[in-house]
Amino acid sequence: PHPTSRVKVFLDGGEYRVDLLVTTDGPGDPGRLAEIARGVRGANRALFDVTNGQMCLHRVEIRSGGAGRDEADILIAEDFSDDAEANPHPFAHGITRISKRTEIRGGKEVEGLTIGEWVRLPLFHPGTKRPIRWDRPAFVRVFAHELCHYLFGLKDEYDRRTGRPLCWSIMGNLRSTEFCRDENHSHPGLERSCWARAKALYPRLVVPEDEDPGPWEPPAPRIVIR
């Protein structure tokens, strides 16, 4: 959607498809990589749901040991908690860079359409060496929320001090399976709804006239583990 982003989205039969590279600092344990693959499938269902069946993952490559870190779309990083900007609030689980100048979790909130530098997620629970299970429902929702930052350049729609939702969308409440529309967008500080911003990037998207909670079942992505 933007020449400087690394987002890989293409049209297929009128619907948008996404290719991703995921790399983790953790070892190449088959069980661990299979768990991440399950998390990817869950995030894919959420992406398909919030777009009302108009975007889903296509091919996802998962690498271990930090392989491909510099080119990855999603980093599951061992050093996540060492970055002072990565977890400024106790409810922040991911850091999404949507451009070289704009960092969603870092406090700089300059809106723009230069999206898709990378998503960074923690390998361990804060202050521990206990790996996060990215296939658990709570973390799958975080995965999907961060993916929406990455693909659409969307901003958070919750109060950063309290975590209270300011808009009933996946960007404001992780339990939501919707993007907000102009008719129900309620964040006082953001002029445009999620759907308005998404359509500005992907013109073939059709903004729904009302909510459709689904469930929407997407085609299964091709997942390659290396």
Side-chain angles (χ1 to χ4, degrees), residues 128-183:
T128 76
K129 288 296 183 181
R130 183 164 56 93
I132 289 177
R133 288 283 304 269
W134 281 105
D135 59 345
R136 296 288 173 86
F139 294 111
V140 166
R141 290 192 289 268
V142 171
F143 211 145
H145 171 100
E146 298 297 325
L147 201 54
C148 288
H149 279 309
Y150 181 65
L151 293 171
F152 301 104
L154 299 177
K155 296 180 68 175
D156 285 325
E157 297 191 330
Y158 57 81
D159 187 311
R160 287 174 170 272
R161 297 166 300 174
T162 66
R164 181 178 64 85
L166 298 174
C167 193
W168 190 260
S169 74
I170 192 172
M171 307 313 295
N173 189 308
L174 292 178
R175 295 189 177 277
S176 174
T177 60
E178 301 294 320
F179 281 160
C180 59
R181 296 171 290 115
D182 288 343
E183 295 85 348

Side-chain angles (χ1 to χ4, degrees), residues 53-192:
Q54 298 180 79
M55 183 181 283
C56 65
L57 302 181
H58 172 254
R59 183 184 186 277
V60 181
E61 184 172 327
I62 301 174
R63 300 179 185 177
S64 60
R69 184 182 179 97
D70 291 341
E71 58 182 321
D73 301 283
I74 297 172
L75 315 175
I76 301 178
E78 186 173 12
D79 61 353
F80 179 94
S81 60
D82 295 334
D83 187 335
E85 289 188 330
N87 196 12
H89 303 295
F91 48 83
H93 298 92
I95 181 169
T96 310
R97 292 186 69 92
I98 62 170
S99 80
K100 293 180 180 179
R101 302 177 303 280
T102 306
E103 191 161 282
I104 288 291
R105 298 285 187 181
K108 302 172 186 177
E109 299 218 8
V110 180
E111 287 201 51
L113 298 184
T114 307
I115 67 170
E117 191 173 357
W118 40 254
V119 179
R120 191 177 181 200
L121 301 168
L123 179 64
F124 301 118
H125 287 273
T128 76
K129 288 296 183 181
R130 183 164 56 93
I132 289 177
R133 288 283 304 269
W134 281 105
D135 59 345
R136 296 288 173 86
F139 294 111
V140 166
R141 290 192 289 268
V142 171
F143 211 145
H145 171 100
E146 298 297 325
L147 201 54
C148 288
H149 279 309
Y150 181 65
L151 293 171
F152 301 104
L154 299 177
K155 296 180 68 175
D156 285 325
E157 297 191 330
Y158 57 81
D159 187 311
R160 287 174 170 272
R161 297 166 300 174
T162 66
R164 181 178 64 85
L166 298 174
C167 193
W168 190 260
S169 74
I170 192 172
M171 307 313 295
N173 189 308
L174 292 178
R175 295 189 177 277
S176 174
T177 60
E178 301 294 320
F179 281 160
C180 59
R181 296 171 290 115
D182 288 343
E183 295 85 348
N184 62 6
H185 177 56
S186 58
H187 189 305
L190 299 180
E191 293 184 2
R192 293 191 294 168

Side-chain angles (χ1 to χ4, degrees), residues 16 44-56 148 152 177-179 195 198 205-206 208 216:
Y16 290 97
N44 182 47
R45 285 191 293 273
L47 176 64
F48 200 62
D49 201 342
V50 298
T51 60
N52 283 24
Q54 298 180 79
M55 183 181 283
C56 65
C148 288
F152 301 104
T177 60
E178 301 294 320
F179 281 160
W195 268 114
L205 289 175
V206 176
W216 293 77

